[in-house]
């Protein structure tokens, strides 16, 4: 929430707006080249982790990237 609020304020100063569509967590294991997207935000609910995963796969094609709705 802290990051979102700071970014929303910065965007507002530039005449733009934003909306948080949910949250979650990342587990990053760089030595194994793995990222796991999971969980939810108490304040914002659960993001669509499949969207996050696809964006990460495009940016990090040499990583194994997975997701699950379980966990907090």
């Amino acid at each position: 929430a802290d990051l979102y609020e700071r970014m929303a304020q910065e965007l507002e100063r530039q005449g733009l707006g934003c909306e948080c569509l949910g949250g979650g967590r990342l587990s990053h294991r760089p030595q194994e080249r793995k990222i796991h997207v999971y969980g939810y935000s108490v304040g914002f609910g659960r993001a669509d982790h499949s969207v996050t995963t696809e964006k990460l796969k495009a940016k990090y094609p040499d990583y194994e990237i997975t997701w699950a709705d379980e966990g907090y």
Side-chain angles (χ1 to χ4, degrees):
D2 294 337
L3 294 173
Y4 173 72
E5 288 178 22
R6 278 190 296 186
M7 183 55 63
Q9 289 172 0
E10 178 60 32
L11 290 171
E12 190 175 308
R13 281 192 285 275
Q14 297 177 32
L16 301 169
C18 64
E19 176 185 2
C20 182
L21 301 176
R25 299 179 185 280
L26 296 174
S27 169
H28 181 208
R29 297 191 309 231
Q31 296 82 7
E32 299 172 42
R33 303 190 88 61
K34 292 182 178 183
I35 298 174
H36 183 65
V37 182
Y38 66 98
Y40 61 93
S41 164
V42 172
F44 297 111
R46 187 178 320 278
D48 184 344
H49 298 325
S50 66
V51 172
T52 305
T53 299
E54 290 308 310
K55 293 187 180 300
L56 287 168
K57 284 180 179 180
K59 180 72 175 173
Y60 302 101
D62 56 335
Y63 267 68
E64 177 186 335
I65 302 175
T66 58
W67 68 273
D69 281 334
E70 295 81 34
Y72 172 75

